[in-house]
Amino acid sequence: LPSGSLVFGTATYNAVGGAVERMRIDSSGDVFVGGTTTTNAQGWGREIASINSGSNGASLTLKDSNGEWQVATYTNKFYISKGSTTPMLIDSSGQVGIGTDSPSRLLTVDKGSSGDIAHFEGNGSVHLRIGENSNNMYLNANNGNATIAFQTNGTERMRIESDGTVQITNST
């Protein structure tokens, strides 16, 4: 047994060769389930828990009186789930799906209903909203006399003022 560790194992009754290690708490307090590494796969930090359930994936479930969340790997994807729904996943190519389990781009967001999809905030208030309503997309500057400015190469090319006036800059 490793010095200073608490080890849990399983064995078949009257098995030859002793128990097979299943969980370890080492002398620094790190907990390992199904593995014994002290460095994560990227090599830049220490693991506090290592779960290895084999070829079908692994999951960690966190429960409280309001429900449960799961963090899981399965079919080469990383899932964050709430109960039976999956609000977010990352596939093996790094594509992120929010509201979908089939991201088709680096970031795919699917709200599944009309309304605001994203809020971009600054100083504690919503300044820009992106959403969908009756099959129309909207971009809404939502801060008093806010404008929406469009730039290319750091130069403003078009502006929509809060009163609806559109200004287009033509440099040719």
Side-chain angles (χ1 to χ4, degrees), residues 96-112:
V96 177
I98 299 175
T100 179
D101 60 2
S102 301
S104 58
R105 303 285 184 270
L106 185 59
L107 175 62
T108 302
V109 179
D110 185 354
K111 184 173 185 271

Side-chain angles (χ1 to χ4, degrees), residues 10-20:
T10 59
T12 305
Y13 180 71
N14 287 333
V16 176
V20 175

Side-chain angles (χ1 to χ4, degrees), residues 98-100 109-118 130-138:
I98 299 175
T100 179
V109 179
D110 185 354
K111 184 173 185 271
S113 62
S114 293
D116 289 358
I117 295 170
I130 299 173
E132 184 269 333
N133 189 352
S134 302
N135 297 321
N136 296 309
M137 294 298 296
Y138 59 82

Side-chain angles (χ1 to χ4, degrees), residues 7 24 27 56 71 99 165:
V7 177
R24 174 188 300 189
S27 60
N56 288 331
V71 178
T165 303

